[in-house]
């Protein structure tokens, strides 16, 4: 996977995870979903959203083309209506027509670019859908730290705002500066700051990545090979974050790590 995809993972991992420390979210009973089924559902939802968005932009583009055609006809009529007794008025009308045509052309160009980008995204999501049945996913993972799960994967309701938010990984409540370990054999692809999650490590395990974050120090460099249970660093405080991201689509798709865990040492 390209280095840019690792940057996407590093930037995206913490989005939706941060909230006031004193207000834990209300989390309803969680249903365990088989990872491949969850991936297929995510891809299907993306495809449905893209289909709707593409249809909307296509309608806007068709309307823009119709408007531009009317403007062109109006401009031709203005150009043909030149009279020697009102040269200033004629020049103003012609300038206005040219301005509107230029504005319409610019708006149409923006819509065309948006539609092109949407079609590209649609092709990428279609490729992701085709990859779901064959992508290599873990059967079991070692918990990245010894502790209890304080925050679960998936949607939750914020206590104060009642807004529905989404968490892409797990938070483990651990002893202060507890060691963090590799959940499986892999290669360190990124080690450094992760937005909203202090510092962290991205490990490549073949068909999926893991993100271990909220670390204060990191003991391994990029490119290092790790075995399951190898030490990666220490928690910055009392939490260790854990995310599993399948190699499906440009930036990958997250799956719930909790059903895959077995206890540490």
């Amino acid at each position: 996977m390209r280095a840019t995809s690792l940057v996407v993972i590093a930037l995206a991992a913490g989005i939706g995870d941060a909230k006031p420390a004193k207000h834990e979210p209300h989390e309803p009973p969680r249903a365990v979903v088989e990872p491949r089924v969850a991936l297929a559902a995510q891809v299907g939802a993306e495809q449905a959203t893209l289909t709707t968005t593409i249809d909307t932009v296509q309608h806007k583009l068709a309307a823009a083309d119709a408007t531009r055609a009317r403007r062109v006809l109006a401009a031709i009529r203005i150009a043909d209506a030149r009279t020697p007794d009102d040269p200033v008025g004629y020049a103003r009308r012609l300038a206005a027509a040219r301005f509107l045509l230029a504005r319409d052309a610019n708006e149409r160009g923006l819509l065309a670019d948006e539609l092109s980008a949407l079609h590209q995204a649609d092709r990428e999501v279609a490729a992701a859908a085709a990859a779901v049945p064959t992508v290599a996913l873990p059967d079991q993972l070692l918990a990245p730290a010894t502790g209890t799960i304080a925050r679960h994967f998936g949607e939750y309701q914020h206590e104060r705002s009642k807004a529905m938010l989404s968490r892409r990984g797990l938070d483990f409540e651990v002893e202060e500066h507890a060691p963090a370990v590799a959940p499986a054999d892999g290669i360190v692809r990124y080690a450094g700051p992760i937005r909203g999650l202090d510092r962290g490590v991205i490990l490549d395990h073949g068909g999926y990545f893991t993100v271990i974050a909220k670390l204060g120090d990191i003991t391994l460099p990029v490119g290092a090979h790790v075995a399951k249970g190898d030490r990666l660093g220490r928690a910055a405080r009392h939490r260790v974050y854990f995310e599993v991201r399948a190699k499906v689509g440009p930036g990958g798709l997250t799956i719930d790590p909790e059903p895959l865990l077995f206890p540490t040492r």
Side-chain angles (χ1 to χ4, degrees), residues 143-226:
T146 301
T148 58
I149 296 175
R151 296 174 181 168
H152 298 277
F153 175 92
E155 288 191 346
Y156 65 95
Q157 187 180 61
H158 190 271
E159 184 178 358
R160 280 188 171 179
S161 67
K162 305 304 180 184
M164 292 304 298
L165 304 176
S166 181
R167 189 177 297 116
R168 292 180 169 88
L170 306 175
D171 256 351
F172 286 84
E173 183 76 27
V174 300
E175 293 184 1
E176 188 172 9
H177 307 310
V181 301
D185 298 350
I187 301 172
V188 179
R189 296 300 188 193
Y190 176 85
I194 297 180
R195 184 171 64 187
L197 297 173
D198 296 307
R199 304 178 75 223
V201 177
I202 298 176
L203 301 179
D204 186 344
H205 306 281
Y208 62 98
F209 291 106
T210 58
V211 181
I212 300 91
K214 296 191 176 180
L215 305 182
D217 64 355
I218 298 171
T219 59
L220 295 172
V222 172
H225 289 256
V226 296

Side-chain angles (χ1 to χ4, degrees), residues 32-39 137 255 259:
V32 175
V33 181
E34 198 275 326
R36 208 172 297 276
V37 173
L39 284 177
L137 298 177
I255 59 175

Side-chain angles (χ1 to χ4, degrees), residues 60-118:
K60 288 183 178 180
L61 190 57
D65 285 337
T67 298
R68 181 167 171 77
R70 290 193 297 271
R71 301 266 201 224
V72 169
L73 291 175
I76 292 172
R77 287 195 294 269
I78 290 171
D80 290 342
R82 182 172 187 173
T83 56
D85 58 335
D86 186 20
V88 175
Y90 171 78
R92 286 175 177 171
R93 290 191 295 273
L94 193 59
R98 286 172 175 168
F99 171 78
L100 291 173
L101 285 173
R103 188 190 65 180
D104 291 344
N106 182 62
E107 289 179 356
R108 190 199 184 283
L110 292 174
L111 286 169
D113 289 345
E114 183 180 358
L115 187 60
S116 177
L118 286 168

